[in-house]
Amino acid sequence: MSMLDSHHHTIFYPEEQETLSLATAKREADVYLRSLPSAILVPHAAYQFSLEALHRSFSVAGHLQPSLIVFLGPLHQEVLEADAPSFLFTSSMEGISIAGVEHRFATTLIKELTILHAPFFVQQDSYLEEEPALELTLPMIHSYFGNVPVLPILASSCTREQIQTYHTLLESVVRQEKDVLFIVSANANALLPSPQAEDDARTFVSRLQTGAGLLENRREERISSCNSSSLEALRKLTVLSGNWTVGGYFDKQGEQPEIKEHNDMKEKHVWHISAYQGDTNA
């Protein structure tokens, strides 16, 4: 198989297979999603900061048996002018090898979608190699769902017209695969000092909970999460409610009962949240 190599081990997650397996070992949840399509929101950061939030989201989905997982991730680097007008990127390879485990991509579907949604959705592995969010999430996907194929999509910041194109792509996925789990990788705010970090995180959470749009700034509110485009495209899917349920708030000290401002305004920080949408047993 032609596989991508991992590039972000040791920085974001353990390199050794045994240590990685222990870190990502499946956990149970009190509330769990019980039907598909569903969606979970997970953070991207080194495991020392994000692991508990990752498990909180994944455990809620742990009883599901998806036939396809769609990973919607951010693109932290600029899109090269040579790649325009493309703004959604996936892999041309069969998967990626991480700590001796091969994570399989949905290659047939990827080929179909790149034809259907050209020139905006393309197979360009350089973007996947640079972006750690997918790579750190794949071991969690494997732990909870085994060898279910993954459709990775990385999105740059999108205009309203591009959001509609992105949404159309996701609609075409749902038409082909009913039992799909969407995994959105997004932090609640950009790396910012207090109180701006908390203000941005609260605005982000509030809009997720009410199903409100993430693109516009209102009443001096601001969204600084790096993957608003993916969330906005997903919000428009009629098979999902659009309203997220928050399962936990996390900062560098661990889980917090709420988003509270840090006293040290000189230090920048990021808030992570666990969230999900779909039918549950609750």
Side-chain angles (χ1 to χ4, degrees):
M1 292 178 68
S2 53
M3 308 290 287
L4 289 170
D5 294 322
S6 59
H7 292 273
H8 302 282
H9 48 266
T10 70
I11 302 171
F12 286 90
Y13 60 90
E15 182 177 17
E16 300 78 19
Q17 185 174 351
E18 184 177 352
T19 307
L20 184 58
S21 295
L22 286 172
T24 59
K26 189 173 181 178
R27 301 179 188 177
E28 287 295 321
D30 295 327
V31 174
Y32 56 87
L33 293 162
R34 60 179 183 175
S35 65
L36 293 163
S38 288
I40 59 173
L41 189 148
V42 300
H44 47 262
Y47 275 13
Q48 68 184 102
F49 303 117
S50 69
L51 190 60
E52 291 304 311
L54 283 164
H55 275 296
R56 184 65 55 82
S57 293
F58 271 96
S59 61
V60 170
H63 289 199
L64 297 174
Q65 294 183 315
S67 60
L68 173 72
I69 289 170
V70 178
F71 175 87
L72 307 180
L75 197 60
H76 286 96
Q77 67 180 109
E78 292 292 323
V79 176
L80 299 175
E81 284 186 23
D83 291 323
S86 304
F87 65 93
L88 299 170
F89 300 94
T90 190
S91 179
S92 65
M93 307 293 271
E94 294 179 70
I96 181 171
S97 179
I98 299 175
V101 175
E102 293 185 342
H103 302 267
R104 189 163 55 95
F105 294 152
T107 52
T108 301
L109 179 60
I110 286 171
K111 289 174 183 175
E112 293 173 359
L113 292 171
T114 52
I115 293 171
L116 188 61
H117 299 283
F120 308 110
F121 182 51
V122 296
Q123 296 170 273
Q124 178 57 274
D125 288 296
S126 61
Y127 293 104
L128 278 79
E129 291 172 341
E130 289 290 329
E131 177 55 56
L134 171 64
E135 200 173 303
L136 70 89
T137 311
L138 283 171
M140 297 291 300
I141 292 173
H142 185 266
S143 175
Y144 278 84
F145 303 109
N147 295 319
V148 174
V150 177
L151 165 60
I153 302 174
L154 301 184
S156 60
S157 296
C158 296
T159 64
R160 291 188 181 277
E161 292 75 17
Q162 289 173 329
I163 291 287
Q164 186 57 45
T165 300
Y166 194 174
H167 164 66
T168 302
L169 186 155
L170 297 183
E171 274 192 325
S172 66
V173 171
V174 173
R175 279 197 300 270
Q176 292 192 57
E177 291 281 350
K178 303 300 182 188
D179 295 330
V180 58
L181 174 66
F182 292 96
I183 298 178
V184 187
S185 180
N187 297 328
N189 64 281
L191 185 63
L192 294 164
S194 187
Q196 188 67 65
E198 286 71 32
D199 287 345
D200 288 8
R202 290 190 198 101
T203 300
F204 180 73
V205 169
S206 174
R207 295 199 194 174
L208 287 183
Q209 290 173 322
T210 60
L214 297 170
L215 295 187
E216 70 279 1
N217 292 333
R218 301 180 306 207
R219 301 185 301 277
E220 298 184 4
E221 292 180 337
R222 191 177 73 162
I223 299 290
S224 61
S225 173
C226 65
N227 201 13
S228 299
S229 297
S230 295
L231 286 161
E232 192 69 6
L234 190 68
R235 183 177 73 91
K236 297 174 179 291
L237 283 183
T238 55
V239 293
L240 293 171
S241 68
N243 300 77
W244 291 85
T245 299
V246 175
Y249 306 96
F250 302 82
D251 64 6
K252 63 181 180 179
Q253 274 87 39
E255 185 170 8
Q256 305 297 336
E258 60 184 357
I259 297 174
K260 294 192 295 186
E261 291 177 14
H262 288 264
N263 294 325
D264 185 1
M265 288 185 249
K266 296 178 182 177
E267 187 173 338
K268 296 180 179 180
H269 47 274
V270 174
W271 282 88
H272 305 308
I273 66 167
S274 162
Y276 56 89
Q277 59 172 307
D279 296 330
T280 70
N281 65 324

